[in-house]
Amino acid sequence: MTAANKLPVNAEHKAAALPATADKISVIDEDVCLPAVVVKARALDNNIRWMQRYAASSDVSLAPHGKTTMTPAIFRRQVEAGAWGIGVGTAFQAKVAIEAGVPNVIMANQLVGKANIRLVSQLMKHSSTPIYCCIDSEANARQLSDYFASQGQKMRVLLELGVPGGRCGCRTEEEAYALAALIRQLPGLTLCGIEFYEGVIHSDDERADLAIIDAFLKRVLSVTQRLAADGAFADVDEALLTGAGTVWYDVVCQQMKRADLPTGFRYAIRPGCYITHDRGVYAQAQEALRARDPLSCDLGGDLASALELIACVQSLPEPGLAIVGFGKRDVAFDTGLPQPIALYRNGQKMPFKASSAHTENLMDQHAMLRYGEGLSLQVGDLLVFGTSHPCITFDKWKTIYLVDEGYNVLEEMETAF
């Protein structure tokens, strides 16, 4: 749309606020275009503080994976609560984190691609914020070193260890030792520690998963101990050992506590989805974690679901079927469909039992909701939905609303995908 064709209408994103009065913006009173995604402020604050307490009680630093939300306003809240840094997945995400004031940035990924490398180099020239990236191959090591050395820079790198069939990372100890030796010889790199991600180990058999994770973490610690003994991290004042997602962070913390590493190591965990938690896969993961980890119970409280989607009933075409105005373009659907948790009519909360309705299918812009005779719905009713896997929901929105318990907007939080 050209400037000449741009309409003078205040709607810059799909959930734009168009309040009837200037004193407040209420999602429930339909002052925003629906569907809309909201984050409950009380639950968000609870989750930030709970995980920070968990990390402190485990003697590890917290570097939450920011790719979950890519929301600078949330990054700032995490850092203000005590997070040592933020984890990211790409060069652009690193830029967003630095602009948000994050003190340390772990790019838990390989830095490849000429423009990506140039971007990180520019970030290093204009900011003193430490940026770390992962490395698992000789080819990548040489490419990075050649570029950063040509710029008079040294890129901080973390040697990544992985598992067969998983994502990136050296598969054997021999590969890791050889790569570490090469990195130390290259003029454009500084070996700053070890990175791993155990979250790729996940099946329906928790006992089997724990056995595989235990063996993997022991290998990680063995490699780290040998490299430390060989002086591989002598060029840095503080070496970093970092891993853990939102499913197995307790297991990683327990292993780190038992690690016999020299002083000068910082342990950092990188859970991400705890920030808004959910009513699906991460609720199940946290329940399993609390069953095996006394510390998570002793801290008091627990993680709470903070992310919700609100949409209108737009059609009741046949008995027991409601068409609701949202779809795959608006919410995660990869690990379970969003399910209704509350009903509002004309701004008032109505009686609702979660068992009375369920989402059975999603299309691009439509949700098919089946409901029983005990539930009365009307076109125009608002339904609140709980979700599973927050990452996929966040990246579908330009603006997320931070709301109070009455769904009054406290802040419009911009995302940066």
Side-chain angles (χ1 to χ4, degrees):
M1 181 180 291
T2 66
N5 292 332
K6 187 174 177 65
L7 297 173
V9 176
N10 184 27
E12 299 301 321
H13 58 90
K14 63 182 181 179
L18 298 169
T21 60
D23 59 332
K24 70 173 183 176
I25 300 174
S26 168
V27 180
I28 293 302
D29 287 339
E30 301 178 54
D31 289 335
V32 307
C33 295
L34 298 176
V37 163
V38 303
V39 171
K40 306 291 278 295
R42 181 183 299 176
L44 177 69
D45 181 69
N46 168 81
N47 295 347
I48 290 172
R49 297 186 182 282
W50 191 93
M51 190 60 76
Q52 194 64 52
R53 291 200 309 273
Y54 188 95
S57 298
S58 300
D59 297 321
V60 302
S61 296
L62 184 60
H65 208 0
K67 65 94 177 171
T68 296
T69 69
M70 283 309 299
T71 303
I74 292 180
F75 292 176
R76 288 189 285 270
R77 284 172 168 82
Q78 291 171 304
V79 170
E80 289 168 1
W84 172 80
I86 291 290
V88 300
T90 69
F92 174 73
Q93 291 176 5
K95 174 180 180 290
V96 173
I98 291 171
E99 289 177 339
V102 170
N104 295 278
V105 175
I106 299 175
M107 183 176 163
N109 211 344
Q110 278 61 35
L111 176 57
V112 295
K114 293 179 180 179
N116 293 328
I117 295 170
R118 286 196 294 270
L119 175 53
V120 170
S121 174
Q122 291 171 12
L123 293 174
M124 291 167 59
K125 288 177 181 178
H126 296 289
S127 171
S128 61
T129 302
I131 307 172
Y132 302 84
C133 76
C134 296
I135 197 164
D136 68 356
S137 70
E138 176 181 338
N140 191 211
R142 293 190 183 279
Q143 181 190 31
L144 291 178
S145 179
D146 288 347
Y147 185 84
F148 285 102
S150 74
Q151 302 300 306
Q153 298 172 314
K154 292 177 76 72
M155 182 66 206
R156 298 174 177 88
V157 299
L158 304 172
L159 182 65
E160 181 169 10
L161 303 178
V163 297
R167 299 197 310 211
C168 306
C170 295
R171 297 308 201 239
T172 68
E173 296 185 15
E174 290 71 23
E175 289 177 33
Y177 299 141
L179 184 55
L182 173 64
I183 292 170
R184 296 210 66 206
Q185 296 172 7
L186 296 175
L189 304 181
T190 301
L191 183 59
C192 294
I194 299 292
E195 189 274 348
F196 62 93
Y197 178 59
E198 77 300 329
V200 294
I201 303 168
H202 197 240
S203 71
D204 293 329
D205 188 339
E206 181 183 4
R207 181 174 295 182
D209 289 341
L210 287 170
I212 297 171
I213 292 170
D214 183 68
F216 174 52
L217 294 179
K218 287 179 177 176
R219 181 163 64 87
V220 168
L221 293 177
S222 174
V223 170
T224 308
Q225 289 162 352
R226 174 170 161 178
L227 289 176
D230 291 345
F233 311 114
D235 297 330
V236 295
D237 294 331
E238 180 180 77
L240 190 62
L241 177 62
T242 177
T246 309
V247 175
W248 307 111
Y249 60 87
D250 62 316
V251 179
V252 172
C253 286
Q254 290 162 14
Q255 288 278 19
M256 285 179 169
K257 280 184 177 181
R258 294 193 286 268
D260 185 22
L261 295 176
T263 57
F265 264 86
R266 178 183 294 273
Y267 307 119
I269 59 172
R270 305 191 313 273
C273 291
Y274 79 91
I275 189 65
T276 57
H277 200 45
D278 70 6
R279 293 175 181 269
V281 291
Y282 288 106
Q284 296 166 12
Q286 181 72 357
E287 183 179 354
L289 184 147
R290 286 173 66 84
R292 65 176 180 258
D293 178 30
L295 174 60
S296 64
C297 300
D298 295 342
L299 288 175
D302 196 5
L303 299 176
S305 180
L307 185 70
E308 296 175 356
L309 180 140
I310 301 174
C312 299
V313 174
Q314 67 183 65
S315 179
L316 298 168
E318 60 188 64
L321 175 64
I323 307 302
V324 187
F326 74 94
K328 294 180 180 179
R329 299 294 181 92
D330 306 305
V331 70
F333 55 89
D334 58 323
T335 57
L337 300 182
Q339 297 299 332
I341 58 175
L343 170 66
Y344 286 81
R345 181 174 297 156
N346 297 322
Q348 300 299 313
K349 190 170 186 179
M350 306 295 290
F352 182 81
K353 293 182 179 180
S355 59
S356 64
H358 72 279
T359 308
E360 69 171 14
N361 193 20
L362 287 186
M363 300 181 74
D364 277 2
Q365 310 281 185
H366 300 85
M368 285 70 170
L369 189 80
R370 291 290 178 184
Y371 64 100
E373 294 181 357
L375 178 63
S376 175
L377 292 178
Q378 297 179 9
V379 171
D381 283 350
L382 300 192
L383 284 166
V384 181
F385 290 79
T387 67
S388 179
H389 192 186
C391 298
I392 306 299
T393 297
F394 268 97
D395 68 14
K396 296 177 182 294
W397 295 85
K398 180 179 177 180
T399 298
I400 303 286
Y401 290 111
L402 185 72
V403 300
D404 63 16
E405 294 304 296
Y407 295 94
N408 298 303
V409 174
L410 304 174
E411 182 179 342
E412 296 185 22
M413 302 189 298
E414 300 297 319
T415 65
F417 288 99

